[in-house]
Amino acid sequence: MSTLEIKDLHVSIETEQGKKEILKGVSLTIKTGETHAIMGPNGSGKSTLASTIAGHPRYLVDSGTITLDGEDVLAMSVDQRARAGLFLAMQYPVEIPGVTMSNFLRTAKTAIDGEAPALRTWTKDVKAAMTQLRIDPDFAQRNVNEGFSGGEKKRHEILQLELFAPKFAVLDETDSGLDVDALKIVSEGVNRAQEGGKMGTLLITHYTRILRYIKPEFVHVFVDGKVAEEGGPELADRLEEEGYDRFLAEAVPAVAEQA
């Protein structure tokens, strides 16, 4: 069993007006085999947490720690984090002109494992995963995400997830822009990757609809850069009924008091 542990994490960014704190003391522990959903309104810090775990240089860690099985993640480069078993499915997957999907996938797998996968087995695995995700085989020869629809980009993120088999997957609003059919296909891919309890999942979302397919054991509500409430799946159901108004109402007096 592996553990990803975040302790009292404070993160800021540089703006034209100066330094702005985004995360204000986030603590979270995820173990392989667990699914944690992070929910909250826009601007609450959910995507900042995802990017910080992945190592985006824009986000400055002021204090706190992130460790993976006791190893300091913050001391790792982005590629070292990937090789250690961290995976980020991006909210807005980028296009990579000139790099085909097939070359990208095999090169990335080789970098993660330290050796190239056996070609015959790898080709079989890629074809099987593409079929399950209903990705046209012709996409293997297209440039990464170039000209892809939003749903196609998200399915290719999950294709990577299934093939790379990370210890922990951070899914940053993977459900955004998906129709009902695509949402189900993507969710099934995540569930396949979780089979056997070898992967932990941090699922970031605004809505509960993806939680009908990917069942979390833990739900964390983010408001104003902090965890405002934690619970089980029933908390997501409550959010579906009530929204985030009560959390936002509680956050306003706190902000006013700080000012």
Side-chain angles (χ1 to χ4, degrees), residues 145-219:
N145 291 326
E146 194 171 35
F148 291 14
S149 69
E152 288 165 346
K153 288 180 179 179
K154 295 301 179 76
R155 276 186 280 169
H156 279 84
E157 292 282 284
I158 304 307
L159 174 65
Q160 296 167 43
L161 173 66
E162 290 201 66
L163 293 172
F164 298 163
K167 292 179 182 177
F168 292 96
V170 181
L171 309 181
D172 188 7
E173 297 193 28
T174 297
D175 53 337
S176 65
L178 298 182
D179 61 27
V180 175
D181 291 334
L183 178 64
K184 186 175 181 181
I185 292 167
V186 161
S187 299
E188 288 171 348
V190 175
N191 290 332
R192 283 193 298 272
Q194 291 178 316
E195 288 177 359
K198 295 181 179 180
M199 186 183 84
T201 302
L202 186 61
L203 176 62
I204 296 170
T205 183
H206 286 295
Y207 310 108
T208 58
R209 62 176 192 155
I210 194 171
L211 304 185
R212 299 169 192 162
Y213 303 105
I214 302 173
K215 305 292 186 181
E217 293 86 13
F218 308 94
V219 176

Side-chain angles (χ1 to χ4, degrees), residues 8-19:
D8 196 23
L9 189 66
H10 291 255
V11 174
S12 60
I13 59 171
E14 291 290 347
T15 71
E16 293 181 357
Q17 290 74 39
K19 200 172 185 180

Side-chain angles (χ1 to χ4, degrees), residues 58 82 113 133 140 181 203 218 245:
R58 183 188 182 204
D113 292 352
L133 288 165
D181 291 334
L203 176 62
F218 308 94
D245 285 350

Side-chain angles (χ1 to χ4, degrees), residues 19-41:
K19 200 172 185 180
K20 179 180 180 182
E21 188 177 28
I22 305 296
L23 298 184
K24 304 174 182 179
V26 173
S27 295
L28 188 65
T29 300
I30 311 166
K31 299 181 183 297
T32 46
E34 296 179 348
T35 299
H36 292 245
I38 290 184
M39 305 184 70

Side-chain angles (χ1 to χ4, degrees), residues 237-258:
D237 295 333
R238 185 178 176 187
L239 290 172
E240 176 77 4
E241 295 178 3
E242 301 177 359
Y244 299 110
D245 285 350
R246 69 183 178 92
F247 297 104
L248 294 171
E250 291 169 4
V252 169
V255 172
E257 188 174 314
Q258 290 171 9

